[in-house]
Amino acid sequence: MSRFFRGVAIVWVALRHGLDELVLSGFSRPWIRALARLLTLGRRFDAPRGQRLREALEELGPIFVKFGQVLSTRRDLMPPDIADELALLQDRVPPFDPAIAVATIERSFKKPLDEIFVTFDRTPVASASIAQVHFAVLRDREGREREVAVKVLRPGMLAAIEKDLALMRMVAGWVSRLSADGRRLKPREVVREFDNYLHDELDLVREAANCAQLRRNMAGLDLVLIPEVFWDWCHSDVLVMERMQGVPISQIDVLRDAGVDIPRLARDGVTIFFTQVFRDGFFHADMHPGNIMVSTAPETFGRYISLDFGIVGSLTAVDKEYLAQNFTAFFRRDYKRVAELHIESGWVPRDTRVNELEGAIRAVCEPYFDRPLKEISLGMVLLRLFQTSRRFHVEIQPQLVLLQKTLLNIEGLGRQLDPELDLWSTAKPFLEKWMLEQLGPKRLWRELRAEAPHYAKMLPELPRLLHGYLSRSPREESLELRQLLAEQRRTNRLLQGLLYAGLGFVLGLIVVQLIIRIGVL
């Protein structure tokens, strides 16, 4: 019943804000337009449509606010007035009472506010769907005064999210039962993944750990700044981190007037994303403009500043290698290899004909190559790929949902910074270099180094084990034991043969890679 009432509430909010008129007005068929006029009889809306949509999403809660944040980066898919309003959801969600924030901090650390901070600004500087941020001054362990940002979780978030997730699970169940297409999309698995990420975002200690991990990963890149976490003052409801100074990336005119190279900034964003995904397998998965600033300080001028680490994505080594091979094949227009990878990974049935899938992928992707980013809509490419996937029964991979969402964020951000950016050519050299490192001598040496401690433990024991094995007399053994030893010897000879063959293959691969490198040089 709670799910039913929540569904009724969603419909009521949509009707009260006139979202039915907003949806139906996009259709050109006369009968649909007539239905829209009929539904709006007796209702009058003074506020603009973008404002009504934003207010409806705010009223419906955090899940809908996050949906609006994603839409705000897709100015190619929405009218400017709606995109401008949805952009306010990134850091201007109505704040909650500062007294509640102070009470949460004091309850979490069991100390009065004055004993924790030297100063604390009770006026929030940013307010988002999950938490709001206050600036403060903290005295660190060395006695230095540090400017910090204090993130405080909104009250009652868990109950609000559980209601919406229960409704999403119910709808996902309907979709799975009603059609084969629905089962192929794996809606239940996708909702489960979304459930995990949202609950992770409600734990600010987990967010602090994500921040610290990204800070370590990005330390040597010199393209992005990640704030320092003050672990003594972190709690599941409160997070204290270094205050970052910069210009919001959405203020492009301000950045340009300050002398920031905007096209380079766009390219750096692509490099950061692909580095996090393919080098580290750990990436910031909430990269809308409200979470990104640009440093204008002389010592870090032009670098990205990342904020809000509640949602991060991670990929296994298998995921990374599969995606890298797919991207590389796409960039080389090797559609046959893309089709083979889909079949090898199990994304499509094993009996799928490679040439048919290859032709379908070529028809989708070929028209978009060699165009600047302003002429390419990744949303349109994904839509056509989806239409193609229906024909070949492609299964959606839930573990890659966050990566797909982040890629859309990156495209939206790239459009705002530099409409001339060619996303494909910017990423291609990076991926080719990554693939060379994964398949070349560097990977062999890296894996041998990783296994060295294990080998070091085994080597001292080998002489004793070998002596004990060789000194055993077959005459003293039973017939069954002699048969077992004979079987072991045959197995050992087979393993030795396989080992020598593997070593020969690895050496041959190294020689080929060296020849390739010499040829490139």
Side-chain angles (χ1 to χ4, degrees):
M1 288 301 294
S2 64
R3 293 195 294 267
F4 171 76
F5 285 123
R6 178 56 175 165
V8 171
I10 291 172
V11 173
W12 170 247
V13 170
L15 292 174
R16 190 155 51 83
H17 289 276
L19 300 190
D20 55 320
E21 177 196 30
L22 180 62
V23 172
L24 295 176
S25 64
F27 293 90
S28 58
R29 294 185 178 182
W31 70 270
I32 296 182
R33 289 185 173 274
L35 177 62
R37 287 193 295 270
L38 179 63
L39 290 174
T40 55
L41 285 177
R43 291 188 293 166
R44 183 177 179 180
F45 305 105
D46 297 325
R49 59 180 184 174
Q51 179 182 339
R52 286 187 278 126
L53 177 58
R54 174 178 58 82
E55 290 174 350
L57 294 176
E58 289 174 351
E59 186 173 342
L60 288 172
I63 291 182
F64 296 89
V65 169
K66 288 213 162 288
F67 179 66
Q69 290 173 352
V70 173
L71 289 180
S72 70
T73 66
R74 302 313 315 275
R75 293 178 178 269
D76 58 314
L77 303 179
M78 289 184 301
D81 60 319
I82 294 180
D84 290 340
E85 278 292 334
L86 293 182
L88 300 179
L89 295 173
Q90 292 165 4
D91 57 0
R92 299 183 195 176
V93 178
F96 57 88
D97 189 348
I100 297 177
V102 171
T104 301
I105 295 170
E106 293 180 339
R107 182 180 66 252
S108 298
F109 301 120
K110 298 179 174 56
K111 287 186 178 182
L113 191 70
D114 294 341
E115 293 184 16
I116 302 172
F117 302 107
V118 178
T119 62
F120 182 86
D121 187 352
R122 292 175 180 262
T123 303
V125 294
S127 181
S129 55
I130 298 295
Q132 71 184 29
V133 178
H134 297 258
F135 285 154
V137 175
L138 177 73
R139 185 170 283 109
D140 64 14
R141 292 181 176 182
E142 288 75 27
R144 299 172 299 175
E145 292 188 357
R146 301 283 301 274
E147 292 185 335
V148 296
V150 184
K151 187 172 184 177
V152 185
L153 198 67
R154 281 181 176 271
M157 286 303 304
L158 184 60
I161 283 178
E162 286 294 349
K163 287 182 181 179
D164 286 337
L165 284 173
L167 185 62
M168 291 175 69
R169 293 189 196 100
M170 181 176 68
V171 174
W174 289 347
V175 171
S176 295
R177 287 192 295 268
L178 289 176
S179 70
D181 256 356
R183 289 188 291 275
R184 180 177 61 82
L185 294 175
K186 297 184 179 180
R188 288 173 174 163
E189 290 84 348
V190 171
V191 171
R192 192 179 303 122
E193 289 283 320
F194 195 33
D195 185 345
N196 292 336
Y197 295 129
L198 280 175
H199 280 86
D200 289 348
E201 198 172 4
L202 293 179
D203 184 357
L204 296 186
V205 172
R206 182 183 290 270
E207 178 175 345
N210 294 338
C211 176
Q213 181 67 53
L214 282 170
R215 180 180 170 89
R216 281 195 303 275
N217 292 348
M218 296 289 100
L221 194 59
D222 293 333
L223 293 179
V224 61
L225 302 173
I226 310 290
E228 177 187 355
V229 173
F230 295 90
W231 284 106
D232 291 342
W233 304 107
C234 287
H235 185 271
S236 58
D237 293 334
V238 182
L239 168 59
V240 179
M241 64 176 65
E242 175 187 5
R243 177 178 175 180
M244 307 301 287
Q245 306 281 356
V247 177
I249 200 166
S250 57
Q251 300 180 11
I252 299 176
D253 292 337
V254 176
L255 293 171
R256 189 177 286 110
D257 293 341
V260 175
D261 186 342
I262 301 299
R264 178 181 176 182
L265 193 66
R267 293 192 301 271
D268 288 348
V270 176
T271 300
I272 291 168
F273 171 69
F274 281 100
T275 300
Q276 291 181 354
V277 170
F278 292 107
R279 189 194 69 181
D280 305 324
F282 189 82
F283 59 94
H284 193 310
D286 201 15
M287 295 181 68
H288 61 75
N291 288 339
I292 302 174
M293 297 193 299
V294 179
S295 174
T296 54
E299 62 275 13
T300 56
F301 186 79
R303 293 190 195 177
Y304 279 82
I305 299 174
S306 289
L307 304 171
D308 194 349
F309 309 95
I311 301 180
V312 297
S314 59
L315 299 173
T316 65
V318 174
D319 289 334
K320 288 193 296 182
E321 185 164 343
Y322 169 75
L323 288 168
Q325 289 191 47
N326 256 296
F327 274 115
T328 305
F330 267 117
F331 294 141
R332 293 174 176 172
R333 306 189 193 186
D334 186 355
Y335 303 116
K336 181 178 181 181
R337 181 57 184 154
V338 175
E340 291 172 345
L341 285 167
H342 275 69
I343 295 173
E344 291 170 7
S345 66
W347 282 31
V348 296
R350 292 286 179 184
D351 58 355
T352 302
R353 296 181 63 178
V354 174
N355 61 330
E356 290 184 2
L357 184 56
E358 175 191 356
I361 295 172
R362 179 184 295 108
V364 171
C365 299
E366 192 65 27
Y368 295 96
F369 278 102
D370 297 328
R371 294 186 184 184
L373 186 60
K374 67 178 181 180
E375 297 180 14
I376 300 176
S377 170
L378 186 58
M380 186 59 67
V381 176
L382 291 176
L383 177 61
R384 292 197 61 191
L385 282 173
F386 174 75
Q387 293 169 344
T388 302
S389 70
R390 285 186 64 182
R391 174 185 166 194
F392 292 95
H393 308 291
V394 175
E395 293 190 351
I396 301 301
Q397 304 301 303
Q399 75 271 21
L400 302 180
V401 169
L402 267 186
L403 182 64
Q404 296 167 0
K405 166 186 173 295
T406 308
L407 187 57
L408 290 175
N409 288 149
I410 292 294
E411 186 202 15
L413 183 60
R415 285 184 184 277
Q416 295 181 31
L417 291 175
D418 181 16
E420 301 295 332
L421 174 68
D422 187 340
L423 182 67
W424 315 111
S425 63
T426 304
K428 182 179 177 181
F430 180 90
L431 285 173
E432 288 182 336
K433 178 183 177 183
W434 185 88
M435 285 295 293
L436 187 63
E437 290 178 351
Q438 293 305 301
L439 299 177
K442 287 186 178 179
R443 179 174 182 176
L444 174 62
W445 175 244
R446 191 166 59 247
E447 292 183 355
L448 287 174
R449 256 192 329 186
E451 293 292 333
H454 182 60
Y455 296 149
K457 182 180 179 181
M458 291 174 56
L459 283 173
E461 300 176 0
L462 282 179
R464 176 175 54 82
L465 294 174
L466 184 60
H467 178 268
Y469 177 76
L470 295 176
S471 63
R472 296 173 65 181
S473 173
R475 296 177 182 177
E476 299 174 359
E477 298 169 351
S478 65
L479 176 62
E480 182 180 353
L481 187 57
R482 287 200 299 272
Q483 291 174 344
L484 179 61
L485 288 174
E487 184 66 30
Q488 286 179 340
R489 293 188 190 99
R490 286 194 294 270
T491 302
N492 289 338
R493 285 195 294 271
L494 177 61
L495 291 176
Q496 287 175 357
L498 292 174
L499 177 61
Y500 292 144
L503 288 174
F505 174 77
V506 170
L507 290 174
L509 183 61
I510 293 174
V511 170
V512 170
Q513 293 289 344
L514 291 174
I515 292 173
I516 292 174
R517 287 177 178 271
I518 293 171
V520 171
L521 295 175

